[in-house]
Amino acid sequence: MSIKTAAVTGNEAASYALRQINPDVVAAYPITPQTELVQSFSEYVADGLVDTELITVESEHSAMSACVGAAAAGGRVMTATSANGLALMFEILFIAASNKLPIVMPVVNRALSGPINIHCDHGDTMAARDAGWIQIYSENAQEVYDNLIQAIRIAENMKVRLPVMVMFDGFIISHGIERVDYLDDATVRNFIGTYQPNHPLLDIDKPLTFGPLDLYDYYFEHKRQQAEDIKNSKPIILDVAREFKEISAREYGLFESYHLDDAETAIVVLSSAAGTAKAVVDELRDRGRKVGLLKPRVFRPFPYIEIAQALSHLKAIAILDRSVSFGSFGGPLFTEIRSAMVEFKKIPENFNIIFGLGGRDINEQDITGIYNQLDEVVKSGKVKERVQYLGVRD
Amino acid sequence: MAKLKDLVNKPEILSPGHRLCAGCGASIAVRQILSASDDPVVVACATGCLEVATTIYPYTSWRSPFIHNAFENVAATISGVETMYQSLKKQGKIDKEIKFIAFGGDGGTYDIGLQSLSGALERGHNFVYVCYDNEAYMNTGIQRSSATPRGAWTTTTPVGEVIPGKTQYRKDLTRIIAAHNIPYAAQASIWRWSDLIDKAHKAFYTKGPAFLNVLSPCHRGWRFPLEDTIKISKLAVQTNFWPLYEVENGKYKLNYKPKERLPITEWMKPQGRYKHLLTPENESIVEEIQQEIDNNWERLLVLSGEK
Ligand SMILES: Cc1ncc(C[n+]2csc(CCOP(=O)(O)OP(=O)(O)O)c2C)c(N)n1
Ligand code: SF4
Ligand SMILES: [Mg+2]
């Protein structure tokens, strides 16, 4: 095993992972901020560095449709997209999951139109959270690379067989240059193994019908099975993480805790903002404040008991959402976690902060302000405003 | 040319017992076309009558591998299947010869699926696309499509006090497909079965994309007695409403020339969907439709070097 250290963008790290995974078919369509990923992978194809057949489709709807056809045919299939592209795939996301097709898709998070905006928020993948895909959020380029490799193993596990989205923040991670430690090709290929087809369409001796009409006498049972399958992926995700640690020395779980055990207050936040928050935690800890952080990694299946348990000892928490769920009580992360906490007798004081829509920056001062607000809540025992919008002009 | 004796001995891929209406033109088209492949086929189908009536879980009428994805994406879906086949073949993981065929209704082809089809044709996948054209959205209850002919009644172009059925002419899809410069595109009829089967054979054994547009009468939507499906198919050809021709590597060829072109009213008369047109007040509409049919025919004669 050898490690190659590189300074690359998140998109390049993702594309490098795709090269090592060497899918049989990739069908993709460009969209900012994912474009560079597809371009870079096209170069690997043009240079003959992969066995992949690349389908340069005429839309994302066709990208996901072709992925469904290719995965049903019986091979390893990937695509990638962002925002409007994901929205255009929407109908077929559900079909991919219900057919139990292990498609793996990096999604570079970008704000959904309208108005049109190319910068980061999580509105795109949050809107797709009930499509039946496993969803894994990444903090930085290293996690993008690591999560993609693990995603193949998770998706293709015979007990799971579900599609997986691996998310990372548009521009902040997709275009920012960071250090990434790459595993060597042989290690990755050995880790992911060869693709095991499951009832492939191309098996002409055992003809199967995919996508039948399924009415009130069976549809419900099939949906019930699907709910069970995604729930059961949780231990598999952890098994894969354990095995991945053996080849990478990097640790992954359903979520990451940062100085949480002895903390009195904490922030919960996904993706790149967690990196900024960690720096703030370090700084405040230096000044003797008992602050911590929880960064969910797996959003679907949502590790509700595990996260609620990990937060249960705290006095107050702020849950940050980089997306808005119009007309609901709070952001998606907030409503999930608040409802999970009901399982425990003592619920920490809590509030929701919606931030960063359309690429609005969140900085260390903003995060320090949130920790200060948490202290006030602990002192007064009162939450002034349950759902807040950070840094937005009135 | 296909021999009836050989065809009847071929195993059927679409098995009996499906729930398409008795006398449905689509099932006849599918059976004739699938009899033309000498190799195993993988079938993809768009949402529509053909798909819903042949795959009611836990049953299936398909003896070959079959995939339905959604309404508007059968071309993209089969392009994914075919590409996986090419990939596995190149990698030496599969060696069998397999043919790929997609079926879409006129709604799934002329309208909502046109982009997906155009993309797949341009990319040059090795597959056959068949539009079984019954000139409306039948599965959802006879709504108009861009293949519905002018003047026809449908549930979204009802015959009202002021509007007498559909006001627009139908889209000329076969020419749109031919303009993609794919190696083979043809228009066919279930009445001329041996012409259709020959065309299907050509389509299967053309390298690259091939397209067949097959008029598939629907007695429910067109309002005629169910035993008249073939008779209606014949009238479509003999009135020049549905000319039989093919475009092979850009060259147009007319496959059938009626000895004497029947007037368009002969096509309209047996179909309830045109009933309102055959009245003195709507005579001018029928004349305009006749003119359009004759113009299209003249153009086809020129394109195919007959004139
Ligand atoms: C995206 C989407 N829009 C609408 C529908 C509803 N729908 C199902 S089949 C159909 C019409 C099918 O018409 P056509 O393709 O002509 O096939 P036919 O039923 O006539 O054989 C429609 C509108 C759908 N399934 N998906
Ligand atoms: S409604 Fe028409 S197209 Fe549909 S099955 Fe019946 S005859 Fe065939
Ligand atoms: Mg139709």
Side-chain angles (χ1 to χ4, degrees):
Chain A
M1 186 173 87
S2 71
I3 284 168
K4 187 178 137 193
T5 300
V8 289
T9 65
N11 275 336
E12 283 167 347
S15 167
Y16 198 87
L18 253 74
R19 179 189 65 71
Q20 292 184 315
I21 291 164
N22 192 24
D24 299 303
V25 171
V26 167
Y29 194 81
I31 179 168
T32 306
Q34 158 267 37
T35 309
E36 190 195 17
L37 196 171
V38 175
Q39 284 175 348
S40 148
F41 186 71
S42 304
E43 283 169 22
Y44 291 134
V45 175
D47 291 338
L49 296 175
V50 283
D51 297 312
T52 311
E53 290 291 316
L54 178 64
I55 318 181
T56 45
V57 277
E58 84 298 332
S59 71
E60 288 88 351
H61 194 285
S62 286
M64 189 46 66
S65 301
C67 284
V68 165
R76 199 167 264 158
V77 176
M78 296 183 77
T79 180
T81 195
S82 291
N84 297 43
L86 184 69
L88 192 56
M89 290 177 177
F90 199 65
E91 179 195 24
I92 314 304
L93 294 177
F94 291 75
I95 294 171
S98 75
N99 275 303
K100 305 212 65 191
L101 301 173
I103 300 161
V104 172
M105 170 164 70
V107 181
V108 188
N109 282 116
R110 158 180 161 176
L112 273 176
S113 299
I116 191 165
N117 175 306
I118 57 170
H119 294 284
C120 176
D121 71 39
H122 298 162
D124 52 359
T125 48
M126 283 300 169
R129 66 190 186 270
D130 291 338
W133 287 55
I134 291 170
Q135 292 191 316
I136 301 176
Y137 283 87
S138 322
E139 178 185 325
N140 51 40
Q142 184 70 61
E143 290 194 9
V144 173
Y145 173 78
D146 293 349
N147 281 335
L148 276 171
I149 290 166
Q150 292 176 69
I152 295 289
R153 282 283 304 276
I154 297 162
E156 292 177 10
N157 184 292
M158 283 298 177
K159 289 192 198 127
V160 179
R161 283 277 150 169
L162 285 174
V164 182
M165 285 179 207
V166 172
M167 275 70 80
F168 53 106
D169 284 351
F171 288 107
I172 304 162
I173 300 305
S174 67
H175 288 61
I177 293 180
E178 287 183 284
R179 172 203 159 119
V180 176
D181 289 338
Y182 289 139
L183 301 165
D184 62 65
D185 293 1
T187 303
V188 172
R189 287 191 185 166
N190 189 41
F191 180 77
I192 61 172
T194 50
Y195 184 81
Q196 300 300 317
N198 194 21
H199 305 303
L201 187 67
L202 289 177
D203 187 352
I204 47 170
D205 301 321
K206 293 197 200 94
L208 271 181
T209 289
F210 277 72
L213 179 68
D214 194 17
L215 301 173
Y216 35 70
D217 41 2
Y218 287 99
Y219 181 89
F220 203 173
E221 280 72 25
H222 290 141
K223 289 293 135 181
R224 179 69 190 86
Q225 277 174 12
Q226 226 184 304
E228 201 58 20
D229 291 339
I230 192 160
K231 203 172 93 189
N232 292 342
S233 68
K234 223 159 56 174
I236 311 283
I237 293 169
L238 290 172
D239 284 348
V240 171
R242 258 188 298 276
E243 278 187 54
F244 188 75
K245 189 181 170 187
E246 282 166 27
I247 59 164
S248 68
R250 288 186 291 273
E251 192 149 346
Y252 288 91
L254 300 170
F255 56 88
E256 182 189 338
S257 301
Y258 193 71
H259 291 295
L260 203 58
D261 288 349
D262 66 339
E264 290 176 357
T265 63
I267 282 177
V268 181
V269 67
L270 293 165
S271 300
S272 69
T276 316
K278 282 176 190 169
V280 175
V281 169
D282 291 345
E283 207 186 295
L284 296 181
R285 285 248 162 201
D286 284 347
R287 289 197 245 134
R289 286 172 63 180
K290 297 232 156 144
V291 294
L293 173 87
L294 187 146
K295 179 190 78 180
R297 171 178 176 243
V298 179
F299 188 78
R300 284 290 182 267
F302 193 73
Y304 59 99
I305 283 289
E306 295 86 344
I307 288 183
Q309 169 92 63
L311 297 171
S312 60
H313 66 285
L314 295 162
K315 291 184 175 153
I317 53 174
I319 298 163
L320 275 57
D321 272 289
R322 200 169 198 142
S323 66
V324 60
S325 174
F326 295 110
S328 94
F329 177 45
L333 197 55
F334 179 64
T335 47
E336 291 280 355
I337 292 177
R338 224 173 108 93
S339 96
M341 288 191 309
V342 175
E343 302 286 335
F344 294 87
K345 273 206 194 82
K346 212 179 112 280
I347 297 177
E349 277 303 343
N350 57 80
F351 57 90
N352 184 201
I353 295 211
I354 306 220
F355 77 100
L357 299 193
R360 178 79 42 99
D361 235 357
I362 185 166
N363 59 31
E364 299 190 8
Q365 279 136 13
D366 295 325
I367 291 170
T368 307
I370 297 169
Y371 280 114
N372 292 344
Q373 198 189 146
L374 282 167
D375 282 354
E376 281 163 35
V377 168
V378 172
K379 240 185 262 155
S380 67
K382 263 192 225 121
V383 170
K384 265 194 231 132
E385 209 179 343
R386 189 70 66 186
V387 180
Q388 307 168 22
Y389 292 80
L390 178 85
V392 68
R393 290 185 296 266
D394 282 329
Chain B
M1 206 180 94
K3 282 207 199 90
L4 204 50
K5 209 176 81 197
D6 300 336
L7 293 176
V8 293
N9 288 323
K10 271 198 163 175
E12 293 255 15
I13 289 174
L14 178 65
S15 56
H18 59 68
R19 300 190 205 171
L20 288 154
C21 302
C24 174
S27 60
I28 301 171
V30 169
R31 290 171 58 213
Q32 292 184 357
I33 290 163
L34 291 178
S35 74
S37 175
D38 302 325
D39 293 295
V41 293
V42 172
V43 177
C45 193
T47 313
C49 270
L50 177 62
E51 169 266 329
V52 303
T54 57
T55 67
I56 306 175
Y57 189 87
Y59 305 105
T60 179
S61 309
W62 297 91
R63 291 194 178 116
S64 67
F66 175 96
I67 183 166
H68 160 250
N69 188 343
F71 183 22
E72 64 289 343
N73 63 355
V74 66
T77 305
I78 199 81
S79 78
V81 178
E82 186 263 355
T83 305
M84 181 56 77
Y85 172 71
Q86 301 298 353
S87 178
L88 297 181
K89 211 169 184 190
K90 267 192 204 161
Q91 296 176 59
K93 293 178 181 169
I94 198 166
D95 55 5
K96 286 191 176 122
E97 189 57 32
I98 304 178
K99 299 292 176 196
F100 298 91
I101 186 164
F103 290 99
D106 47 294
T109 309
Y110 286 69
D111 289 348
I112 200 166
L114 187 57
Q115 171 183 325
S116 170
L117 174 58
S118 178
L121 297 176
E122 184 269 336
R123 294 192 299 272
H125 297 279
N126 194 14
F127 76 117
V128 180
Y129 190 100
V130 177
C131 175
Y132 70 98
D133 182 353
N134 52 27
E135 306 198 307
Y137 303 163
M138 296 313 179
N139 181 48
T140 40
I142 326 172
Q143 294 84 27
R144 66 91 90 182
S145 75
S146 59
T148 303
R150 182 169 174 208
W153 161 91
T154 68
T155 55
T156 49
T157 55
V159 179
E161 293 295 326
V162 284
I163 306 174
K166 193 187 175 200
T167 51
Q168 302 86 359
Y169 289 106
R170 72 198 312 292
K171 192 187 273 181
D172 189 347
L173 182 70
T174 311
R175 280 208 304 143
I176 294 170
I177 300 301
H180 286 71
N181 296 327
I182 56 169
Y184 189 72
Q187 214 163 263
S189 156
I190 53 175
W191 164 57
R192 300 283 286 181
W193 59 268
S194 106
D195 174 70
L196 171 55
I197 293 170
D198 286 348
K199 284 173 175 168
H201 189 80
K202 253 189 212 175
F204 277 123
Y205 291 90
T206 292
K207 213 172 139 26
F211 173 83
L212 302 175
N213 203 356
V214 186
L215 192 73
S216 307
C218 161
H219 57 82
R220 294 290 308 123
W222 298 7
R223 303 299 201 218
F224 64 83
L226 63 90
E227 61 275 20
D228 287 349
T229 298
I230 300 298
K231 198 173 104 190
I232 297 282
S233 308
K234 182 176 175 181
L235 283 171
V237 179
Q238 291 187 323
T239 53
N240 288 346
F241 174 84
W242 191 258
L244 305 184
Y245 68 96
E246 60 195 341
V247 188
E248 211 170 342
N249 298 315
K251 218 174 151 312
Y252 277 70
K253 185 179 168 201
L254 199 61
N255 306 114
Y256 179 81
K257 232 172 159 176
K259 282 204 188 70
E260 189 194 342
R261 183 287 265 133
L262 297 178
I264 195 63
T265 44
E266 291 304 304
W267 153 253
M268 292 173 167
K269 266 190 248 163
Q271 301 183 51
R273 62 174 172 159
Y274 288 118
K275 199 171 81 194
H276 59 286
L277 280 192
L278 304 170
T279 55
E281 338 48 297
N282 286 330
E283 220 166 86
S284 66
I285 298 178
V286 175
E287 274 165 26
E288 282 170 30
I289 294 172
Q290 182 67 68
Q291 194 56 55
E292 175 78 3
I293 302 264
D294 292 343
N295 291 347
N296 288 345
W297 177 255
E298 285 302 310
R299 190 178 49 215
L300 189 58
L301 290 180
V302 173
L303 282 171
S304 52
E306 302 269 342
K307 225 176 181 177

